[in-house]
Amino acid sequence: MASRGRPLTFDPDAALQRALEVFWERGYEGTSISELTRAMGIASASIYAYFGSKESLFRQVMERYGATAGAPPRNALDEHSTAREAIHAMLRATVDQITRPDAPHYCMLILAAPTGAIENEPIREFLADIRRSQLSAIRDRLRRGIDEGELDASECDVDAVARYYATIVQGLSIQARDGATLAELESIVTGAMAGWSALTTRA
């Protein structure tokens, strides 16, 4: 974030929240600086002076997103005593977040910049890194299940199971964007968890 020499004439926190809403609605490439200035209520010069480039602003937006809408699914992995309960809670929290009535029905990590111009590759890689960290978090929770005796290391392919449930998370977001209802998404979660035993005891 750039240093500021004059007193601010706007609330940076409120401006960042409005920027998040625009990026969430339109995606990274679909959002222009002019749309951001209108939504944030500040001049483009103030955006560049305080937040940096559009890319820098988006990275700050995603940090905020991760601390708000992205937090419940991540926290669910640590808040339950068994790996199965933790994974189930993560999926349920994902469904809750992507069907909120006050926000677009998709996860920004999945769909804010899935494709686009080559000059925006750093943003796509930035989001991919966060998704990889989610995969690692799921993998770590499964390994904890092994350490605690819930899962058998000789039968559970931790990487395969982690990738399966990470794929379910990503698929839920696409289904929600395409109009799937809360009940339909919950049925996906039910189906995904029905396969838990087969997934975690396969040699």
Side-chain angles (χ1 to χ4, degrees), residues 36-60:
L36 288 168
T37 60
R38 285 194 296 272
M40 297 168 76
I42 60 178
S44 59
S46 294
I47 292 178
Y48 290 120
Y50 191 87
F51 297 102
S53 64
K54 175 185 171 183
E55 178 178 330
S56 175
L57 173 61
F58 182 77
R59 289 172 184 267
Q60 292 170 62

Side-chain angles (χ1 to χ4, degrees), residues 2-52:
S3 61
R4 282 81 72 189
R6 293 182 296 177
L8 290 177
T9 58
F10 65 94
D11 180 347
D13 188 67
L16 191 62
Q17 177 60 33
R18 289 192 288 269
L20 186 156
E21 293 165 1
V22 176
F23 279 124
W24 200 345
E25 180 67 36
R26 297 177 177 273
Y28 181 74
E29 288 199 5
T31 299
S32 66
I33 289 294
S34 62
E35 288 165 336
L36 288 168
T37 60
R38 285 194 296 272
M40 297 168 76
I42 60 178
S44 59
S46 294
I47 292 178
Y48 290 120
Y50 191 87
F51 297 102

Side-chain angles (χ1 to χ4, degrees), residues 181-199:
T181 66
L182 173 63
E184 289 167 338
L185 295 176
E186 287 178 336
S187 71
I188 295 172
V189 172
T190 299
M193 295 313 301
W196 174 264
S197 294
L199 286 165

Side-chain angles (χ1 to χ4, degrees), residues 168-180:
I168 296 297
V169 169
Q170 294 172 13
L172 287 169
S173 182
I174 294 173
Q175 288 288 311
R177 183 197 58 183
D178 290 348

